Amino acid sequence: MQFRHVQGMEDVLPTDSGRWRRLEAEFHRTMQLTGYGELRTPVLEHTELFKRSIGEVTDIVEKEMYSFQHSREHLTLRPEGTAGAVRAYVQHKVASAEPVSRWYYLGPMFRAERPQRGRLRQFHQLGAESFGDAGPLVDAELIDTLYGMLSRLGVTELDVRINSLGSAETRARYRAALVDHFTPHAAELSATSHERLQKNPLRILDSKAPQDRPLIDAAPSILELLSEEDRAHFEGLQAALTELGTPYTVDPGLVRGLDYYTRTLFEIRSSAGDLGAQNTLLGGGRYDGMVRSLGGPECPAIGFAAGVERLLLALPPSPSPVTPLVFFAPLGAAAQRACLTLARQVRALGHVALVDGRGGSLKSLLRRADGLRAPLCVVVGESELARGEVQLKQLELHQQSSLPLDTAAQQLAALLDVLAAGSAG
Ligand code: HAM
């Protein structure tokens, strides 16, 4: 019997994890430079937390959560990171300790969706949440920061969409306007939209069904219903983005699939790379009511999350950098033990050292060093050991020399320093 991974939950093998690490490093650096600190929360939370924050009538809560009961607790594998971040913010009473908190996170999320390219059941998000600042400058700064990060990573054909849903009251008025608009035509709507008309009419605007298109195009725009404060906020966001030179499009049809949003909504899409239909790299928005509704104080907040797997599909292919390393080729048992010590010394000096303890002829050991593209290979046999030496072969340069055993590690490290500086430049 052979096991396979669960459908929609993939392995990342060492041949691929370098790309993940480079992406994560860029994200850590970007967020740290923008004053965000890293948050780590558990992957399991109480089911009720997601129902209360994401909303009962959303795809996630209705059909995509991995939930189970253990003993008397109802638990769910987190489908996203915002609910847990807000739960932690409220639980640790962070608002009373600092007026503004900026947090970022990365990790696995779980949604039982139909898997396809760019859509998984275990996927990974890079995300951030900023608490205590009502914006709109922080909104613009976040969008611009993400646009800059994606550009530095080499993602092209970026399309920034923004919208405003207004305050909770505006949203309620908009909901009523949509019900008025769609109800006389209910029979013409697709089955999904028909169902949404009762439960969550905003989500009709997200429908991909062709038969819904004419009715959606004729629907009232949220932007016509914004209050004066909502409008000032949205204009402030646009003015700041324009000043920063971040290109954007106002898209009144952008609603997003989570219920907690107020005012600013945004997404960044790309048609580059291998993305296919799932071309939304990241999405986010303001959720000024959630901290309060989860038992905290009145506290404005905004955040975003990006799908790591989607970002990797959008990235241009890049050859993985070759790490300079030293390969130890010992001939015989005493030499193998001596090489273990030498390798430890080289690693302590910050370089990669591999010892081949499988034995074999010098020829086969050298072939293995070649296979690993090791620039340095150290051969140690009984006669070298007796002389207190090791033999260094610089494979690419076809040069050979002897090094004293007691300073070999330092000399090897110095050579690797030079090689590393060369490959970095
Ligand atoms: P979301 O739009 O549900 O927002 O997800 C954000 C991103 O996660 C998506 O744009 C996509 O790149 C990725 N993603 C979502 N589902 C999948 C999937 N099944 N497979 C692969 N990638 C996926 C949120 O999660 C919000 N918590 C964002 C946020 C933070 N809003 C405010 N703060």
Side-chain angles (χ1 to χ4, degrees):
M1 159 109 190
Q2 244 192 23
F3 292 102
R4 292 185 57 80
H5 60 59
V6 175
Q7 202 199 1
M9 304 196 177
E10 297 187 338
D11 304 310
V12 181
L13 299 181
T15 38
D16 213 24
S17 55
R19 302 179 73 221
W20 283 67
R21 274 217 312 284
R22 286 196 291 284
L23 174 59
E24 288 164 4
E26 179 61 40
F27 177 61
H28 278 289
R29 191 178 132 72
T30 301
M31 297 323 289
Q32 297 270 352
L33 286 174
T34 320
Y36 286 70
E38 189 185 353
L39 168 74
R40 300 187 187 206
T41 61
V43 292
L44 277 183
E45 298 274 359
H46 293 285
T47 302
E48 195 54 30
L49 171 68
F50 299 117
K51 290 188 177 169
R52 288 271 291 278
S53 54
I54 297 171
E56 297 265 7
V57 190
T58 55
D59 287 350
I60 295 180
V61 170
E62 281 182 331
K63 47 188 190 222
E64 295 171 359
M65 296 207 297
Y66 286 99
S67 300
F68 61 94
Q69 188 178 346
H70 184 266
S71 168
R72 284 173 37 210
E73 291 186 306
H74 293 271
L75 304 174
T76 293
L77 278 169
R78 62 181 183 193
E80 56 103 56
T82 310
V86 174
R87 195 264 311 134
Y89 183 77
V90 172
Q91 179 177 340
H92 300 286
K93 300 190 172 42
V94 182
S96 55
E98 53 189 37
V100 171
S101 306
R102 296 178 148 204
W103 292 355
Y104 74 93
Y105 50 86
L106 56 175
M109 308 290 161
F110 304 83
R111 295 183 195 175
E113 296 192 77
R114 194 169 48 79
Q116 63 181 85
R117 172 175 285 281
R119 194 202 274 155
L120 294 156
R121 291 182 167 174
Q122 174 175 314
F123 59 100
H124 295 75
Q125 280 188 345
L126 312 171
E129 314 294 346
S130 164
F131 299 101
D133 188 331
L137 287 193
V138 64
D139 309 22
E141 185 187 55
L142 184 60
I143 295 170
D144 174 62
T145 300
L146 298 170
Y147 185 82
M149 181 180 79
L150 293 174
S151 305
R152 276 195 304 285
L153 286 165
V155 186
T156 54
E157 298 170 55
L158 295 175
D159 175 14
V160 180
R161 299 290 174 111
I162 61 171
N163 190 20
S164 175
L165 285 185
S167 60
E169 299 78 56
T170 306
R171 205 179 143 134
R173 275 191 289 131
Y174 188 49
R175 190 194 145 97
L178 287 177
V179 172
D180 286 349
H181 169 74
F182 286 115
T183 303
H185 309 281
E188 298 154 47
L189 289 170
S190 65
T192 315
S193 292
H194 196 270
E195 205 186 310
R196 284 174 174 168
L197 180 56
Q198 309 305 324
K199 298 197 207 159
N200 195 347
L202 252 75
R203 298 277 289 130
I204 297 179
L205 303 182
D206 252 358
S207 164
K208 302 275 182 293
Q211 74 195 86
D212 295 339
R213 203 36 30 216
L215 284 174
I216 293 172
D217 289 343
S221 161
I222 178 79
L223 300 178
E224 290 155 18
L225 293 179
L226 293 184
S227 68
E228 222 164 280
E229 288 95 339
D230 296 334
R231 197 177 303 278
H233 190 278
F234 196 41
E235 280 167 6
L237 164 63
Q238 293 178 61
L241 286 175
T242 303
E243 171 97 21
L244 286 162
T246 310
Y248 65 88
T249 306
V250 174
D251 180 354
L254 179 68
V255 285
R256 300 191 30 75
L258 302 103
D259 262 3
Y260 47 64
Y261 292 117
T262 52
R263 291 199 167 152
T264 306
L265 275 189
F266 62 94
E267 283 188 357
I268 303 186
R269 305 168 188 168
S270 165
S271 33
D274 271 344
L275 274 170
Q278 304 303 317
N279 68 346
T280 304
L281 295 175
L282 62 86
R286 202 158 259 294
Y287 47 95
D288 291 341
M290 204 208 296
V291 173
R292 183 73 200 267
S293 78
L294 293 181
E298 202 63 62
C299 176
I302 181 167
F304 90 99
V308 173
E309 288 83 354
R310 287 193 197 173
L311 287 175
L312 290 172
L313 286 172
L315 285 182
S318 61
S320 36
V322 180
T323 314
L325 62 89
V326 51
F327 181 90
F328 287 95
L331 299 162
Q336 286 177 345
R337 289 192 295 275
C339 284
L340 283 183
T341 306
L342 277 175
R344 187 175 64 188
Q345 291 168 349
V346 171
R347 290 179 196 131
L349 294 166
H351 287 287
V352 181
L354 303 178
V355 181
D356 193 314
R358 290 175 295 170
S361 66
L362 178 59
K363 202 167 151 204
S364 60
L365 283 163
L366 290 178
R367 211 177 303 121
R368 290 174 204 160
D370 245 0
L372 291 164
R373 294 164 71 192
L376 305 184
C377 176
V378 169
V379 178
V380 189
E382 271 171 32
S383 51
E384 281 86 6
L385 271 187
R387 288 199 301 274
E389 285 178 2
V390 299
Q391 217 187 92
L392 168 65
K393 288 180 184 293
Q394 301 200 47
L395 296 179
E396 281 161 11
L397 302 176
H398 303 288
Q399 284 177 5
Q400 192 166 313
S401 53
S402 293
L403 304 178
L405 193 55
D406 51 3
T407 58
Q410 285 76 12
Q411 292 190 49
L412 290 167
L415 284 169
L416 290 168
D417 275 337
V418 173
L419 288 169
S423 62

